[in-house]
Amino acid sequence: MTHSHNFPLDRWYVAGFDWEVGDAPLGRTFLDRPVVLFRDAAGKVAALEDRCCHRALPLSCGRVEDGALRCGYHGLLFAADGQCIDVPGQGKIPAKARVAPYPVAVVDQVVWIWMASQPGGQPDCEPPRVPAHADPRYRFKGGAFHYRAPYQLIHDNLLDLSHVGYVHTKTIGGNARVHMEAPTNVGADGEHVRVVRHMKASQPPATYTAAWPFKGLIDRWQEIDFHVSHLQIFTGAVDAGAEPIDNPERGGFHMRGFHGITPETATTSHYFWTMAASSHPDQPDNLDTVHQQTADTFEEDREIIEAQWRNMQRFAQPPMVDIHVDAGANRARRVIALLNEGATR
Ligand code: FES
Ligand SMILES: [Fe+2]
């Protein structure tokens, strides 16, 4: 198998959420490879190469029958392991009638797919967990966005939350200068990059005041954990001075974001996100507002990133200037560059 583009392989990527895979086959392209997702007879999510081995119709154009996938052209039927199990009107099934399966696993309602460097490559680790999805302190909701932009531009955006004060003035913004001046700590450990930012005594933004009865100014934190296939971002705040914000057990308002960034092609991306938030006993019904505002916030990011990418294509990629806020994003870019270099060596 040859691929025109270089992506870090032999790892789990997000293919979607458990609730997205229903009765109909779901076709999606990951890392330039077309895949069809469906449910087998036991209700488990399965994934196959999205190409019928007869005359190459996408299998996602077909239908699911008792946990097997019926091609929508001449009716070949494929089991969840990719084996053809029925050729209508022909008794004998050709030995080569099979399509390649992909390993998938559903954990914490996230559907993960193993993207191997070699045909038939199998997972050598468990998929990542999203602890907030199973934590009774939180409720979460999420969605799937499609981006007309390369996936690393989304990494850049999420690793540099100084943009929040400029892009998200209506929701999670607050004072732009406070965001830009926040002490920022960048650490890296193998393929993991961590960015921690504290914003003491800052103005609570709209989403925070809608969700939590803050008394006045707040002490805010942003803890960003980057992994090659996804980011988890823990943000939140307490009343200013109420308690230390570097204590892992701190109270206050919590937003735990999960961001599965899966390249679709070299220039388009899937962005699978959820937001888990805590609720105050006096404001138990605020979470729908939080989720709506989060979706609005991510839509604002998409507009910015797609406009950025369109403009990058209008100019012949002249060099860009770095500033202090780029440390985390540059670190993550180095992780991916090293992985891609290693793969071509
Ligand atoms: S193309 Fe699928 S059965 Fe012919
Ligand atoms: Fe943003």
Side-chain angles (χ1 to χ4, degrees), residues 147-213:
Y147 265 72
R148 291 176 192 280
Y151 75 119
Q152 288 187 280
L153 292 183
I154 309 176
H155 292 167
D156 293 346
N157 171 274
L158 292 169
L159 278 156
D160 151 36
L161 295 183
S162 66
H163 78 267
V164 163
Y166 291 103
V167 179
H168 306 307
T169 50
K170 295 195 282 294
T171 55
I172 55 170
N175 183 308
R177 280 224 93 77
V178 172
H179 280 284
M180 291 302 281
E181 286 165 6
T184 300
N185 204 299
V186 178
D189 165 23
E191 297 181 4
H192 169 217
V193 177
R194 184 173 172 84
V195 178
V196 176
R197 292 157 47 82
H198 288 166
M199 287 151 287
K200 295 272 184 73
S202 56
Q203 206 61 47
T207 302
Y208 282 43
T209 50
W212 200 267

Side-chain angles (χ1 to χ4, degrees), residues 2-340:
T2 55
H3 297 287
S4 45
H5 296 291
N6 218 355
F7 300 109
L9 293 170
D10 297 317
R11 65 192 61 235
W12 295 104
Y13 282 92
V14 180
F17 294 110
D18 199 28
W19 61 82
E20 291 186 290
V21 188
D23 296 334
L26 174 62
R28 274 182 181 155
T29 294
F30 307 116
L31 285 57
D32 279 330
R33 305 180 190 183
V35 171
V36 54
L37 302 166
F38 65 105
R39 287 191 189 274
D40 72 10
K44 277 184 59 184
V45 178
L48 299 176
E49 188 166 71
D50 195 9
R51 174 189 175 276
C52 180
C53 61
H54 173 230
R55 288 294 181 268
L57 186 74
L59 289 171
S60 53
C61 299
R63 59 175 191 260
V64 180
E65 282 182 22
D66 300 328
L69 195 48
R70 177 83 71 188
C71 180
Y73 204 168
H74 316 93
L76 265 64
L77 185 66
F78 298 92
D81 64 358
Q83 186 60 51
C84 178
I85 51 174
D86 183 34
V87 179
Q90 176 174 320
K92 193 170 169 329
I93 294 167
K96 287 191 180 148
R98 60 190 332 279
V99 296
Y102 283 87
V104 283
V106 179
V107 186
D108 300 324
Q109 298 187 50
V110 179
V111 181
W112 296 90
I113 186 163
W114 181 261
M115 302 305 283
S117 57
Q118 303 299 324
Q122 293 299 310
D124 58 10
C125 60
E126 296 294 315
R129 299 292 312 262
V130 186
H133 288 184
D135 187 327
R137 291 177 298 167
Y138 303 117
R139 267 176 45 203
F140 77 95
K141 262 190 198 170
F145 281 175
H146 182 265
Y147 265 72
R148 291 176 192 280
Y151 75 119
Q152 288 187 280
L153 292 183
I154 309 176
H155 292 167
D156 293 346
N157 171 274
L158 292 169
L159 278 156
D160 151 36
L161 295 183
S162 66
H163 78 267
V164 163
Y166 291 103
V167 179
H168 306 307
T169 50
K170 295 195 282 294
T171 55
I172 55 170
N175 183 308
R177 280 224 93 77
V178 172
H179 280 284
M180 291 302 281
E181 286 165 6
T184 300
N185 204 299
V186 178
D189 165 23
E191 297 181 4
H192 169 217
V193 177
R194 184 173 172 84
V195 178
V196 176
R197 292 157 47 82
H198 288 166
M199 287 151 287
K200 295 272 184 73
S202 56
Q203 206 61 47
T207 302
Y208 282 43
T209 50
W212 200 267
F214 288 110
K215 298 195 186 84
L217 295 181
I218 59 174
D219 289 345
R220 251 177 117 169
W221 67 84
Q222 298 171 327
E223 297 177 359
I224 308 166
D225 286 293
F226 165 88
H227 302 273
V228 171
S229 63
H230 66 286
L231 294 91
Q232 303 207 45
I233 303 184
F234 179 23
T235 57
V238 296
D239 284 313
E243 55 176 308
I245 55 172
D246 48 11
N247 170 13
E249 302 306 318
R250 77 210 103 162
F253 176 54
H254 293 186
M255 291 175 77
R256 290 185 182 267
F258 169 75
H259 312 259
I261 317 292
T262 307
E264 180 186 51
T265 66
T267 56
T268 58
S269 310
H270 298 286
Y271 181 11
F272 302 106
W273 64 271
T274 64
M275 184 57 73
S278 60
S279 64
H280 191 276
D282 297 346
Q283 277 169 256
D285 302 325
N286 53 26
L287 289 179
D288 289 334
T289 316
V290 171
H291 291 128
Q292 187 50 53
Q293 294 203 0
T294 300
D296 295 348
T297 300
F298 292 170
E299 194 57 50
E300 290 172 337
D301 284 315
R302 181 161 70 143
E303 279 171 27
I304 291 279
I305 293 169
E306 291 189 343
Q308 175 192 19
W309 175 238
R310 281 194 302 273
N311 216 30
M312 286 170 74
Q313 291 170 292
R314 287 198 302 183
F315 292 83
Q317 308 263 4
M320 294 191 260
V321 177
D322 281 355
I323 61 167
H324 63 106
V325 304
D326 303 315
N330 286 347
R331 192 74 208 218
R333 281 186 173 267
R334 208 151 83 228
V335 168
I336 290 183
L338 283 172
L339 287 169
N340 286 340

